[in-house]
Amino acid sequence: MQHGILLGLLGRHAEAAAYVNWAAQASPTSALVLTEQCANLNRLGNYEEALAACQKLLPL
């Protein structure tokens, strides 16, 4: 997950997505992971997927 965050901070969002998606599969109820997934998808312009990731946070 840390690699994904660092890559995102460096603006390498497409690369970050692989790490963030892996972390989301490993920890599907982690607020940190879902928040990062939502933000990264938004940065990539994948707004529908970003919204779906963000909505997973609501019950948490």
Side-chain angles (χ1 to χ4, degrees), residues 26-53:
S27 300
T29 59
S30 168
L32 173 65
V33 170
L34 291 171
T35 300
E36 188 60 30
Q37 185 179 43
C38 175
N40 194 58
L41 287 166
N42 189 51
R43 287 183 209 115
L44 288 169
N46 297 338
Y47 303 117
E48 302 261 333
E49 292 178 58
L51 178 61

